Amino acid sequence: MNTANISQCPEVTLKCFLLSRFPRAIAQQGTLGEIPLNRSKDSARVLYLSAIALKLAKTWQQTPQTIAAQLAETLEPLCYPDFAVKVAPAGIIELELTDAGLAVWLQRLAQTNLPLPESRILSPVLSADRLFPIQYSHARCCSLLRMAHRDRIISIAQPDVATAPQVWSLAAPNPIPWMDEGDRLRLVHPAERSLISQLLTVLDNLYPISEVKNREKPVNYFKLANSLSEAFQIFYSQCRIWGEVKIEQPKLAQSRVGLILATQSLLRFILENLFNAIAPLEL
């Protein structure tokens, strides 16, 4: 798997990754300020849409479809193998995250500390009862990770509660076996895809966190964190790790534990750096 595009880029989120590619694609002609790029609401796919061709049509004096085709041709090698690029009707550019790209992104989130923003942005002070469901989900993630270590589904370098670091370092398997023998992502259950989608949504709303003050509408970080917590609880209730899954599909069990690692990492970042709250390792 060629993982250089995402694993070696400095961008924190997929949206950062894509936005850094567009200036290269339109460098010959120049651009018009902000590049429109939005996530599709389809939780089953990781799909981004850009109407940049419509924005450039008047300046370039070409049809949006023609401009989009030109940009897509330039973007494709810049985004490969992480994103598949194509042009939809009306000149909309579609960029869909491939399974290979998603596997790299999940591994990165599960095993890499998110960088702190240059200027720390805190949400309004939240009462303990409102924070508790999010803190509970974080503690539950930690409990499941320790159980998975105990039952030898994975091996954590520092499983002890008192010394657990912000990101739990995996001794084995590393990397996590996200992909099956057919080079497809193992995580295909609707609850898995929903949790992955929510992780992406949270990250995209952290971008660019240092410029949140310039947004027209403030980001509701509590709503985002609560939605992530709920998606995790649904995932855990519907996607088994132990029992038959552990015995008959051990790599699927490991991939699901990897998804818990990614969730724990992001929940802890939100609790500690946005809410200025404790991310409990157990309750």
Side-chain angles (χ1 to χ4, degrees), residues 160-173:
D160 185 69
V161 172
T163 60
Q166 184 168 4
V167 172
W168 295 45
S169 179
L170 275 182

Side-chain angles (χ1 to χ4, degrees), residues 18-246:
L18 289 174
L19 287 175
S20 73
R21 270 64 186 165
F22 271 90
R24 304 183 202 179
I26 57 183
Q28 300 295 326
Q29 301 281 350
T31 186
L32 298 175
E34 185 179 354
I35 297 170
L37 183 68
N38 297 291
R39 245 307 283 292
S40 164
K41 293 183 179 180
D42 184 356
S43 63
R45 306 164 66 194
V46 183
L47 178 67
Y48 290 81
L49 309 173
S50 178
I52 185 64
L54 280 69
K55 190 173 183 179
L56 293 172
K58 185 175 181 180
T59 303
W60 288 19
Q61 296 183 340
Q62 298 177 44
T63 66
Q65 194 77 19
T66 300
I67 295 172
Q70 294 173 9
L71 294 179
E73 185 177 359
T74 310
L75 282 167
E76 190 169 13
L78 295 175
C79 297
Y80 179 83
D82 308 304
F83 281 87
V85 185
K86 70 176 185 178
V87 178
I92 301 297
I93 299 176
E94 295 185 349
L95 306 105
E96 183 168 8
L97 187 64
T98 64
D99 281 1
L102 183 51
V104 174
W105 175 83
L106 287 171
Q107 180 71 21
R108 184 181 178 191
L109 182 57
Q111 291 291 271
T112 307
N113 279 319
L114 288 172
L116 292 174
E118 293 181 5
S119 56
R120 194 175 186 191
I121 298 174
L122 297 177
S123 288
V125 176
L126 298 171
S127 61
D129 60 327
R130 296 189 72 194
L131 278 175
F132 180 78
I134 302 168
Q135 291 175 313
Y136 172 81
S137 288
H138 180 270
R140 188 60 178 153
C141 284
C142 294
S143 174
L144 292 170
L145 293 173
R146 290 192 296 271
M147 288 172 62
H149 172 81
R150 181 197 66 196
D151 293 343
R152 299 182 180 181
I153 297 175
I154 59 169
S155 177
I156 298 174
Q158 294 177 285
D160 185 69
V161 172
T163 60
Q166 184 168 4
V167 172
W168 295 45
S169 179
L170 275 182
N174 197 359
I176 294 161
W178 304 106
M179 307 285 281
D180 64 18
E181 290 71 20
D183 289 331
R184 301 294 298 175
L185 197 74
R186 296 182 192 276
L187 304 174
V188 296
H189 189 283
E192 294 168 338
R193 302 301 296 199
S194 179
L195 178 54
I196 290 170
S197 179
Q198 194 58 43
L199 285 165
L200 281 168
T201 298
V202 172
L203 273 182
D204 279 349
N205 278 277
L206 293 177
Y207 166 83
I209 195 165
S210 60
E211 299 177 14
V212 170
K213 61 184 179 181
N214 296 325
R215 295 180 178 177
E216 293 181 3
K217 185 177 180 181
V219 176
N220 188 334
Y221 290 116
F222 172 74
K223 183 177 180 181
L224 284 171
N226 203 48
S227 295
L228 177 58
S229 173
E230 290 175 354
F232 163 72
Q233 294 294 340
I234 293 172
F235 155 77
Y236 174 64
S237 68
Q238 296 185 5
C239 300
R240 299 186 64 182
I241 297 171
W242 281 266
E244 291 182 5
V245 174
K246 177 192 170 186

